[in-house]
Amino acid sequence: MTPGDLAGLFAEPQRLRAFAALVLGAGSVPEVAASAGLSVREAAVAVRRLRDGGLVVGGDGGDGNGGLRVEAGRFRELARARGAERSRENGEAEAAGEPLHRSVRGGRIVHLPARKGRRLPVLEHVVERSFETGRVYGEREVDDRLRTWCEGGGTDHVTVRRYLIDECLLRREDGRYWRP
C-alpha cells in the first residue's frame, strides 16, 4: 500500500466515518452504522472497502459482521516503507547532525539552512549531482540547472549560485562557470 492508496481509501466520507467508528470501538457493521450515522448498507460497503485495503480485519463470523477491528500494523508498515523510500531518495548523508533529507527531497531544495555548517553539505549535494568536474558551463546553463533544484522551494537559484561561488564549489570568470 502506498500513501496514495491510503488517501484513496479515506477520500470517501463514508469510509472515513466508518473507520473512525471502528477506531472508537465499533466491532460490527450495525455498530459502525449506528456510530457513524450511516445506513447499514453504507457501513457494509465502507467496511468491505477498508477490509479489502487491509486496514480492517475480522468480520468473518458467518454473517460477516462481528469481530471487526482496525489493523494498526498496516500503518506501521506504511510508515516504515515511506522512511525507507526517503532514505533511498536522499541517501544516508548527514550534515552536521542534521539529515540531508530535511533540506533536500525528491531532487529539490525544500529548505536551505542558514548556518554554514548545515548549508554546505546541501550545496555539495547539488554540485555533485549537477556539474561535472572540468567542464565549463555558461551562466544560462548554470541557472537552468539550479532552477530545477529550487522549483517549489523557498530558495531561489540566484542565492544558491551565490553560495556555490562563495564556498568555492563553483568558480566563475567572464560569465563562465566550472567545478574545480
Side-chain angles (χ1 to χ4, degrees), residues 3 12 19 31 61 67 88 90 114 141-142 157 167:
E12 177 64 39
F19 185 78
E31 289 175 6
R88 279 191 306 277
N90 301 308
E141 187 175 6
V142 170
H157 70 283
E167 298 298 336

Side-chain angles (χ1 to χ4, degrees), residues 50-125:
L50 293 168
R51 189 184 302 125
D52 291 347
L55 297 180
V56 173
V57 295
D60 300 323
D63 61 359
N65 290 336
L68 294 170
R69 65 180 171 79
V70 171
E71 179 54 60
R74 294 292 284 169
F75 290 96
R76 282 190 293 276
E77 291 171 14
L78 186 59
R80 284 187 192 116
R82 182 65 182 132
E85 182 181 318
R86 282 186 178 158
S87 291
R88 279 191 306 277
E89 284 177 1
N90 301 308
E92 295 295 333
E94 294 207 358
E98 179 180 344
L100 184 61
H101 76 269
R102 290 185 185 173
S103 299
V104 178
R105 286 193 198 114
R108 303 279 192 262
I109 299 172
V110 294
H111 167 72
L112 191 61
R115 291 174 56 189
K116 181 179 179 175
R118 293 184 177 185
R119 181 177 58 238
L120 190 56
V122 174
L123 296 171
E124 289 170 343
H125 179 81

